[in-house]
Amino acid sequence: MITLYSFGPFFGLPDASPFVLKAMTLLKLAGLRYVEDHGGYSRAPKGKLPYIDDEGTIIADSAFIRFHIERKYGVDFDQGLSAEQRASGWAIEKMLEDHYYWALVHTRWVDDANFAASAAQFFAAVPAPLRRLVEAIVRRKIATSLRAQGMGRHSREEIAELGRRDIEALATLMGDKRFLFGDAACGADATAFAFVAESLAPELDSPLRAATLANANLVAYRDRMLSAYFQKYAA
Ligand SMILES: N[C@@H](CCC(=O)N[C@@H](CS)C(=O)NCC(=O)O)C(=O)O
């Protein structure tokens, strides 16, 4: 049995992290059963979630989880796709993971009102006297990461504009297809779905949420993926 180390359900979604939601979706696409463990963050080999324990083999990072599933279980998530479609899928994933993600992080963690309504939920279990301190330490760490990555050097408006461009690009590439490349979900759909679903979390009244909501095809895509793979969270 595979153990997936995750944060746990937040924002009406199976997990607060788009990378964890991506890994869950990959496991489901591959038809692999897994159990979740919400207590593994302190032992995360790369200091981040997700990671998995597959019968004693530890794999950290959603990309390497994907490669592990492909190698060990003989799964081709992109079966039937052309070389060009596979390359496009990878490019879409990296736009969302290495660019859009940071706009989403900024929205959740920097803006005070959004933080109070969303990310602060993570600390609900921390004893009250310590909660403010822990929140402040984590927010400072995230602000430092945002600056180091580069996104954190832009103004709020500039970050919103960059994030909107990503969402518009994704919506255009999706068009009126059921999934990114047709009638079947592929590897990149795990990522695209995860980021669209996290963007639409109702707790976050952000320009990114508004941009996603403005694209009916993305909202329908989120609903379709939830119904297919996360029935409990479907509307
Ligand atoms: N490249 C990693 C990114 C994972 C990641 O950024 N996870 C975040 C949550 S969304 C995390 O665990 N952050 C905790 C930290 O940086 O301390 C993947 O694809 O799994």
Side-chain angles (χ1 to χ4, degrees), residues 99-224:
H99 186 259
Y100 182 72
Y101 170 69
W102 294 102
L104 195 62
V105 167
H106 186 274
T107 311
R108 278 187 184 181
W109 290 86
V110 175
D111 180 271
D112 285 332
N114 265 342
F115 176 77
S118 61
Q121 290 181 31
F122 302 141
F123 305 105
V126 178
L130 280 179
R131 197 176 305 147
R132 291 275 174 260
L133 178 67
V134 174
E135 281 180 11
I137 291 170
V138 176
R139 283 184 90 185
R140 190 168 321 123
K141 183 183 152 199
I142 288 173
T144 304
S145 302
L146 273 160
R147 257 197 91 69
Q149 189 274 342
M151 188 65 81
R153 291 160 199 260
H154 304 311
S155 70
R156 192 179 308 268
E157 293 71 28
E158 288 171 332
I159 292 172
E161 186 174 0
L162 291 173
R164 264 199 303 270
R165 293 269 179 162
D166 293 336
I167 290 296
E168 291 300 333
L170 182 64
T172 301
L173 291 167
M174 184 77 64
D176 57 8
K177 299 188 295 300
R178 286 176 57 73
F179 300 100
L180 277 170
F181 297 107
D183 285 334
C186 69
D189 281 295
T191 304
F193 155 67
F195 278 88
V196 168
E198 298 285 348
S199 300
L200 288 170
E203 283 86 350
L204 279 164
D205 184 17
S206 76
L208 303 186
R209 179 166 191 266
T212 313
L213 271 177
N215 287 283
N217 62 342
L218 294 185
V219 178
Y221 172 66
R222 184 272 316 260
D223 293 345
R224 195 175 302 127

Side-chain angles (χ1 to χ4, degrees), residues 5-90:
Y5 292 93
S6 57
F7 292 100
F10 285 94
F11 316 139
L13 289 171
D15 202 88
S17 159
F19 295 100
V20 173
L21 189 50
K22 168 191 170 185
M24 287 174 166
T25 308
L26 287 170
L27 287 162
K28 284 174 183 282
L29 285 173
L32 295 172
R33 293 185 55 219
Y34 62 90
V35 292
E36 280 182 58
D37 185 326
H38 302 153
Y41 176 70
S42 61
R43 285 174 279 114
K46 295 182 181 173
K48 291 186 181 228
L49 299 182
Y51 64 99
I52 60 168
D53 180 341
D54 185 358
E55 309 285 351
T57 303
I58 308 287
I59 310 286
D61 192 293
S62 65
F64 292 105
I65 292 171
R66 172 184 173 156
F67 302 158
H68 171 79
I69 294 171
E70 290 176 332
R71 288 181 194 125
K72 176 164 177 184
Y73 298 97
V75 173
D76 180 359
F77 287 105
D78 292 348
Q79 197 172 18
L81 299 193
S82 68
E84 188 177 338
Q85 287 171 323
R86 287 170 187 252
S88 299
W90 182 256

